[in-house]
């Protein structure tokens, strides 16, 4: 079986790499966080001394990192993936990096003989844990079949969207919807709490009516309504506030480039950014409800 390298073993990368180990692959990984390395090693990942060491003998390299700048540095640096992977190696990046970074990385990979596949995900930490993520693949069509095969242990829906930048385009639009939903869920929860509603009972009403949405059901902002939601665990992320603000910014920037105005996205981005700047950056994004209620 192919030897796997995994770069980025955090909240998403760690459980995703575990699924590959369960599928029978040898996974050699690296993360700049010693704690993440320790946890991954405990789950069976063979730890490398650095990126170059991790990818040198790999057939397929996966990455899951916070931002486009992080991915670009990891891929294109002198000690990075493209400079140290063997020609023909498939590099599958599962991060949310934006359309421009994706196009730059396709171009840089091509010049080094490496196959770059953008494969951003949707489904959150729950999907990473359960192997039920949705992947949005952008690459040359001739590589899509192998990319789908290599992602199969990690998700239950793997879509080939098109060429360079299209996977990120799909992710940007998807997270625009999700981000606005999370924001309005927090606003509605703050209002419901202030009006004295029983939020458990309101949850039952909303999820059976026109207010129902995925993030409200899984990431309900009110504590002790959904047992596994971050709100029921002191808003431990989850999906960090600064990351959702970043994703909303990517949507606003993409819209500006093609002449589309996203007023709701701009408002959601402003609220998430304000909450992040006031101390909520590393809390789960649903902790915005605390900011809206004057508690954070």
């Amino acid at each position: 079986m192919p030897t796997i390298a995994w770069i980025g073993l955090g909240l998403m990368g760690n459980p995703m790499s575990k699924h590959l180990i369960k599928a029978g692959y040898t996974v050699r990984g690296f993360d700049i966080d010693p704690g993440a390395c320790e946890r991954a090693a405990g789950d069976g990942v063979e730890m490398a001394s650095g990126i170059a060491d991790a990818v040198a003998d790999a057939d397929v390299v996966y990455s899951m990192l916070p931002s486009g700048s992080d991915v670009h540095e990891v891929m294109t640096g002198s000690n990075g993936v493209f400079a140290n992977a063997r020609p023909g190696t498939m590099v599958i990046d599962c991060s949310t990096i934006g359309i421009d970074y994706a196009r730059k990385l396709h171009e840089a990979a091509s010049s080094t003989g490496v196959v770059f596949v953008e494969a951003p995900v949707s489904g959150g930490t729950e999907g990473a844990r359960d192997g039920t993520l949705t992947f949005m693949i952008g690459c040359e069509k001739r590589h899509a079949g192998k990319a789908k095969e290599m992602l199969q242990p990690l998700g239950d829906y793997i879509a080939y969207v098109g060429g360079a930048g299209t996977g990120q385009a799909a992710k940007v639009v998807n997270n625009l919807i999700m981000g606005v939903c999370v924001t309005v869920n927090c606003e509605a929860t703050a209002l419901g709490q202030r009006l004295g509603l029983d939020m458990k009972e309101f949850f039952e009403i909303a999820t059976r009516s026109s207010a129902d949405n995925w993030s409200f059901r899984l990431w309900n902002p009110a504590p002790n309504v959904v047992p596994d939601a971050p709100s029921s665990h002191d808003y431990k992320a989850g999906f960090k506030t600064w990351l959702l603000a970043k994703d909303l910014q990517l949507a606003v920037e993409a819209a500006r480039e093609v002449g589309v105005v996203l007023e709701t996205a701009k408002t959601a981005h402003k609220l998430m950014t304000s909450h992040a700047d006031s101390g909520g950056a590393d809390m789960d994004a649903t902790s915005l409800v605390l900011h809206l209620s004057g508690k954070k």
Side-chain angles (χ1 to χ4, degrees):
M1 298 182 75
T3 298
I4 303 299
W6 196 290
I7 311 300
L9 293 160
L11 290 172
M12 296 289 288
N14 188 8
M16 292 168 75
S17 65
K18 285 169 63 176
H19 289 299
L20 290 172
I21 294 170
K22 290 178 183 177
Y25 294 101
T26 297
V27 179
R28 189 166 173 80
F30 178 73
D31 195 289
I32 60 172
D33 178 6
C37 291
E38 184 177 350
R39 288 186 292 273
D43 291 327
V45 176
E46 298 179 4
M47 299 313 304
S49 59
I51 296 170
D53 182 34
V55 307
D57 297 319
D59 300 294
V60 181
V61 178
Y62 296 78
S63 57
M64 176 56 94
L65 299 163
S67 70
S69 59
D70 293 321
V71 176
H72 192 265
E73 181 179 351
V74 163
M75 294 297 167
T76 64
S78 58
N79 293 314
V81 174
F82 294 168
N84 293 281
R86 296 174 300 187
T89 300
M90 176 170 281
V91 179
I92 303 176
D93 177 54
C94 301
S95 319
T96 300
I97 64 175
I99 300 165
D100 286 344
Y101 270 121
R103 289 172 177 162
K104 290 176 183 177
L105 287 167
H106 279 282
E107 184 176 347
S110 179
S111 67
T112 61
V114 171
V115 176
F116 183 72
V117 177
E118 57 190 275
V121 306
S122 184
T125 52
E126 298 86 357
R129 177 195 66 205
D130 299 336
T132 57
L133 293 167
T134 294
F135 288 87
M136 293 152 261
I137 297 175
C139 65
E140 291 184 40
K141 191 170 185 179
R142 62 195 173 101
H143 299 303
K146 180 180 178 181
K148 285 186 175 184
E149 177 187 347
M150 296 308 302
L151 291 167
Q152 201 65 52
L154 309 177
D156 59 8
Y157 189 73
I158 303 167
Y160 174 65
V161 186
T166 59
Q168 289 296 327
K171 181 60 189 293
V172 164
V173 175
N174 182 85
N175 275 27
L176 159 64
I177 298 170
M178 180 273 288
V180 170
C181 283
V182 169
T183 304
V184 77
N185 289 342
C186 290
E187 287 188 319
T189 298
L191 176 61
Q193 290 170 331
R194 188 64 62 89
L195 292 174
L197 293 179
D198 180 326
M199 297 312 294
K200 284 187 177 181
E201 185 58 43
F202 181 73
F203 175 83
E204 299 300 331
I205 294 168
T207 55
R208 288 169 169 78
S209 69
S210 56
D212 188 28
N213 64 79
W214 185 91
S215 57
F216 192 80
R217 278 181 274 117
L218 270 71
W219 302 339
N220 193 274
N224 305 314
V225 172
V226 176
D228 291 336
S231 59
S232 298
H233 301 277
D234 297 321
Y235 297 95
K236 181 180 178 181
F239 198 129
K240 293 182 179 181
T241 300
W242 80 266
L243 284 171
L244 186 52
K246 180 261 295 184
D247 288 359
L248 287 164
Q249 180 64 27
L250 289 176
V252 172
E253 290 172 354
R256 186 182 301 121
E257 290 178 7
V258 294
V260 175
V261 178
L262 302 180
E263 294 296 349
T264 54
K266 288 196 291 186
T267 299
H269 173 256
K270 181 179 178 180
L271 289 169
M272 285 292 171
T273 300
S274 177
H275 178 39
D277 291 345
S278 63
D282 289 325
M283 298 176 71
D284 189 77
T286 57
S287 65
L288 174 65
V289 68
L290 302 177
H291 183 72
L292 295 171
S293 301
K295 299 177 182 178
K296 183 68 177 177

